[in-house]
Amino acid sequence: MGQQEGCIAHHFGHYGTLSENDRHRLDALEGAAVDVIKGQVLWHEGDIAREFCTLGRGWAYSFRHMEDGTRHILEIFLPGDIIGLCEFSFKQRLSSVAMLEDGEIRLVSNRQLHDLFRQSTSLMSLCFAVCSYQQAVLSERMVHLSRRSARQRVAYLLFEIFCRLRRRNDGLEECFRLPLSQQQLADALGLSPVHVSRTLTAFRHEGLLKIARGWAHMMDRRALAREGSVSGCLHDHVEPLV
Amino acid sequence: MGQQEGCIAHHFGHYGTLSENDRHRLDALEGAAVDVIKGQVLWHEGDIAREFCTLGRGWAYSFRHMEDGTRHILEIFLPGDIIGLCEFSFKQRLSSVAMLEDGEIRLVSNRQLHDLFRQSTSLMSLCFAVCSYQQAVLSERMVHLSRRSARQRVAYLLFEIFCRLRRRNDGLEECFRLPLSQQQLADALGLSPVHVSRTLTAFRHEGLLKIARGWAHMMDRRALAREGSVSGCLHDHVEPLV
DNA sequence: CGTACGTTTGAGACTCCTCAATTTCTGTGG
DNA sequence: CCACAGAAATTGAGGAGTCTCAAACGTACG
């Protein structure tokens, strides 16, 4: 860990200032770095859950298999994200998680985090804030997925990812890595891969957005935000209880 | 409050056994009953939030107004539910809440609940479990709304409500009150009211489900569950960390 | 160079939407 | 109890958006 900030401390820090002490305690929770490879499944839906993990490097996604054989991607995790924090009070996994590319994770014991809250109420409070924030993101996404056109869905998802990336890396320009196939985008958006392709092609011709070879290029960020009806990044207007 | 169990204690009790002490402390949080009338807005999106509330009687719903003028219903609250618990660590409301019919609510101070966690870690743990459960329900719903046909959506929502009602009232039969107009169902499902009407008409003719005058009658529960691809009520396979 | 996988394109079908007209329900005052 | 007005629900017709199936094309990697 050393001088580098742990993922948990970094996320919690968005919702309030951490004492040196709390920061150390959080950093101490994160286990040793474990290398994981593209496609590797971190856990399956229904597995017993005794820990969650932080994603130090690489992208991941959580998903569920539906009765009709289709797959739905619930969440996309970016480098620096915490995976499964919001489920930490359950014994079983609610969804499976797999890597989108090679990366590095650190396991964290549910129990240890839980015990930590006994010592620091402010940490508990921050954890609530983090979970609430994620729930808010989920609601927001639900609204956008359930009643919007393919163009809006695609624009929204790309913009959401962009906002989240920028949250961690402030200097982020319009070009960024996007290790998602169109099939995976389709699974996340509730569209067919064919239609995702058509939509992306249209965006490219209109000069809004170009996606190729694992990279996204937002050629007209403003128009894309308008297309996706993005109303300011969610975290801009959400403040936690101290 | 007297011998009757408070809403918070009841909900928390689903995830573990409450000590007498904890139960009393929870019950003490709930303020005096306040009468509210149909259509009344409890709060608006963006309002400052210093409390959440329990819904002793009547149905309610949370919603957001979209940029394009449409309205989306995020959540439907049944009698006995807790409204806004999961946002309790935020200063601002993430969505508006309004009553579907006359009812009765009790306000609870965010701060007081928060302070209570300092005294009882097990209550805190249970609260996490409740919030996680609700997030799980939200994910489940997101999956069902984003990639499913109108028939499946309608069947799913009705079945979800049925499961939640039965959770509180075990002897619930196939008939139950449903104070939602087709317009409101449409807003919750991301469909047009016209198509909701057609879908309900089809279900009625097929002998699956009848909705009229604020009452729902599940004529063939099994077929309806099949139609909605309902894979067992969510809470059946979710256990909290003690 | 060949194979596998991901992407693009085309054609036809189906679902759901919009608009508009009509019917049914609900509540209110006479 | 009835008449009425407003709201909610139904029905029809036409159209937009998305799906499926299938084939062609590109690209990455052995």
Side-chain angles (χ1 to χ4, degrees), chain B:
Chain B
M1 219 86 26
Q3 69 251 39
Q4 211 196 332
E5 181 180 41
C7 287
I8 305 181
H10 184 264
H11 269 267
F12 280 33
H14 275 117
Y15 300 96
T17 44
L18 286 169
S19 69
E20 266 311 298
N21 205 352
D22 283 346
R23 183 178 299 274
H24 284 313
R25 287 194 276 204
L26 284 181
D27 287 352
L29 290 182
E30 298 192 32
V34 177
D35 285 325
V36 286
I37 62 171
K38 177 173 175 170
Q40 186 171 336
V41 175
L42 302 187
W43 59 71
H44 289 278
E45 182 183 349
D47 282 359
I48 299 297
R50 293 189 214 289
E51 64 250 330
F52 62 96
C53 73
T54 62
L55 186 59
R57 187 167 50 81
W59 291 42
Y61 65 103
S62 70
F63 62 99
R64 294 197 39 200
H65 280 111
M66 302 288 98
E67 303 74 20
D68 57 8
T70 62
R71 186 183 62 160
H72 191 95
I73 294 183
L74 297 166
E75 190 75 47
I76 293 167
F77 298 102
L78 312 181
D81 275 353
I82 307 176
I83 302 178
L85 173 64
C86 296
E87 304 169 7
F88 100 100
S89 60
F90 284 116
K91 284 186 185 147
Q92 289 168 279
R93 305 292 183 194
L94 298 176
S95 57
S96 311
V97 172
M99 296 298 299
L100 281 164
E101 53 179 359
D102 293 355
E104 182 187 293
I105 63 170
R106 293 171 190 272
L107 293 176
V108 182
S109 152
N110 288 345
R111 170 65 60 190
Q112 280 176 30
L113 179 63
H114 187 265
D115 290 344
L116 192 51
F117 291 158
R118 217 167 302 208
Q119 299 167 40
S120 170
T121 333
S122 69
L123 282 185
M124 177 196 77
S125 177
L126 290 176
C127 185
F128 262 113
V130 172
C131 291
S132 300
Y133 173 72
Q134 297 203 3
Q135 175 153 351
V137 171
L138 208 62
S139 296
E140 186 78 11
R141 201 178 306 142
M142 187 178 78
V143 169
H144 279 85
L145 287 190
S146 63
R147 67 167 61 246
R148 285 167 136 57
S149 71
R151 287 176 65 93
Q152 290 177 304
R153 297 187 199 199
V154 171
Y156 180 79
L157 179 64
L158 268 292
F159 211 87
E160 185 201 314
I161 289 176
F162 173 75
C163 286
R164 287 170 56 200
L165 283 172
R166 198 175 46 179
R167 199 178 180 193
R168 174 150 268 259
N169 172 9
D170 209 22
L172 186 71
E173 286 307 318
E174 57 273 1
C175 254
F176 55 92
R177 254 184 71 55
L178 186 78
L180 285 158
S181 68
Q182 291 186 4
Q183 170 68 252
Q184 289 160 335
L185 285 174
D187 285 340
L189 294 167
L191 297 170
S192 69
V194 173
H195 205 65
V196 169
S197 170
R198 284 188 224 276
T199 307
L200 289 178
T201 303
F203 280 167
R204 193 182 327 125
H205 289 155
E206 293 167 24
L208 290 189
L209 170 74
K210 197 159 68 178
I211 294 186
R213 281 160 245 255
W215 285 83
H217 184 177
M218 294 175 82
M219 298 148 80
D220 188 342
R221 191 194 304 173
R222 188 166 305 228
L224 199 65
R226 203 179 323 118
E227 187 73 49
S229 302
V230 180
S231 52
C233 282
L234 187 57
H235 56 277
D236 290 344
H237 61 90
V238 169
E239 291 175 61
L241 187 77
V242 174

Side-chain angles (χ1 to χ4, degrees), chain A residues 17-87:
Chain A
T17 44
L18 286 170
S19 69
E20 266 311 298
N21 205 352
D22 281 348
R23 181 179 301 275
H24 283 314
R25 285 195 276 206
L26 284 181
D27 287 352
L29 289 183
E30 299 191 34
V34 177
D35 285 324
V36 286
I37 62 171
K38 178 172 175 173
Q40 184 171 338
V41 175
L42 302 187
W43 58 71
H44 289 278
E45 182 181 351
D47 282 359
I48 299 298
R50 293 191 212 288
E51 64 250 328
F52 61 97
C53 72
T54 62
L55 187 58
R57 187 167 51 80
W59 291 43
Y61 66 103
S62 71
F63 62 99
R64 292 195 42 199
H65 280 110
M66 302 287 98
E67 304 73 20
D68 56 7
T70 63
R71 186 184 62 161
H72 191 96
I73 293 184
L74 298 166
E75 188 76 46
I76 292 168
F77 298 102
L78 313 181
D81 276 352
I82 306 176
I83 302 178
L85 173 64
C86 296
E87 306 169 6

